[in-house]
Amino acid sequence: MRAWPYLTGMAVREVLVAPDPRLKVKARPVGRVDDSIRALMDDMVETMYAANGIGLAAPQIGVDKRVIVMDLAREGEPPTPRKFVDPEIVWASDEMVPCEEGCLSVPDQYAEVERPKQVRVRFRDENDAVQEIDCDGLLAVCIQHEMDHLEGVLFVDHLSALKRNMILRKVQKARRQKAAE
Ligand code: NI
């Protein structure tokens, strides 16, 4: 069951689409997790669910802060939102694996990206406590993808210029068509 936004104060925000310059900015550290950050993370979770995403980074809604949210629960499983503030990779495996990725800011486009198979991430949780998490599989892929957003990096930036430009042209074309409808 989803909470009613007007009761909780949560709001679905607009997700920015490439090549919006706000997606290319290096986000700033949060430091202390307070009520305003918790409210931001609630909005991000709502926005992610509304867009059928499994991860969202604050720069994707135009907020210049090092905050990401994810939910990797499968269809039929209860929602399991995860929230990460000021995440940093403290260890990465030498082993790399390819995985097909997509992004709410690059709608309907997918491409294979190679990343470390496992990472350990240190972050602050919603209660401002420092935690570490060992990530593998989809969790490792998703957290690295979302952390890239905090550096102003999109998954297409890992591709050749040829592939990247082809995808970005398709995104712009789809946008123009949608606007003309
Ligand atoms: Ni993304």
Side-chain angles (χ1 to χ4, degrees), residues 3 10 17 19 28 31 38 45 49 52 58 68 80 90 95 103 112 115 130 147 151 160 167 169:
M10 287 193 243
V17 170
R28 284 178 303 178
R38 282 186 279 272
V45 168
Y49 289 156
N52 283 319
I68 66 180
T80 317
V90 292
E95 188 185 351
C103 179
E112 207 166 74
R115 300 184 187 273
V130 175
M147 287 178 67
E151 304 300 321
S160 68
I167 287 178
R169 271 200 306 272

Side-chain angles (χ1 to χ4, degrees), residues 55 60 102-105 145-146 149 154-155:
Q60 291 181 274
C103 179
L104 295 176
S105 295
H145 174 116
E146 301 310 330
H149 279 296
L154 302 175
F155 80 93

Side-chain angles (χ1 to χ4, degrees), residues 59-134:
Q60 291 181 274
I61 57 166
V63 175
D64 170 24
K65 292 198 164 79
R66 301 184 79 80
V67 176
I68 66 180
V69 299
M70 295 169 27
D71 190 337
L72 303 181
R74 289 165 210 264
E75 191 104 29
E77 289 178 356
T80 317
R82 301 166 184 260
K83 300 163 179 174
F84 303 88
V85 176
D86 293 345
E88 32 174 341
I89 291 176
V90 292
W91 175 83
S93 65
D94 290 332
E95 188 185 351
M96 307 281 284
V97 285
C99 183
E100 187 160 85
E101 297 186 20
C103 179
L104 295 176
S105 295
V106 190
D108 303 321
Q109 301 299 319
Y110 301 89
E112 207 166 74
V113 175
E114 199 166 84
R115 300 184 187 273
K117 183 176 184 294
Q118 295 157 309
V119 289
R120 184 174 303 134
V121 175
R122 186 179 298 151
F123 64 100
R124 304 185 89 82
D125 67 15
E126 57 190 320
N127 300 312
D128 200 36
V130 175
Q131 294 209 33
E132 277 190 16
I133 183 174
D134 284 309

Side-chain angles (χ1 to χ4, degrees), residues 6-35:
Y6 61 83
L7 287 180
T8 61
M10 287 193 243
V12 172
R13 312 271 198 105
E14 187 197 350
V15 178
L16 304 178
V17 170
D20 193 299
R22 288 169 288 179
L23 293 168
K24 303 304 293 175
V25 171
K26 185 173 154 79
R28 284 178 303 178
V30 168
R32 207 174 71 83
V33 180
D34 59 13
D35 284 344

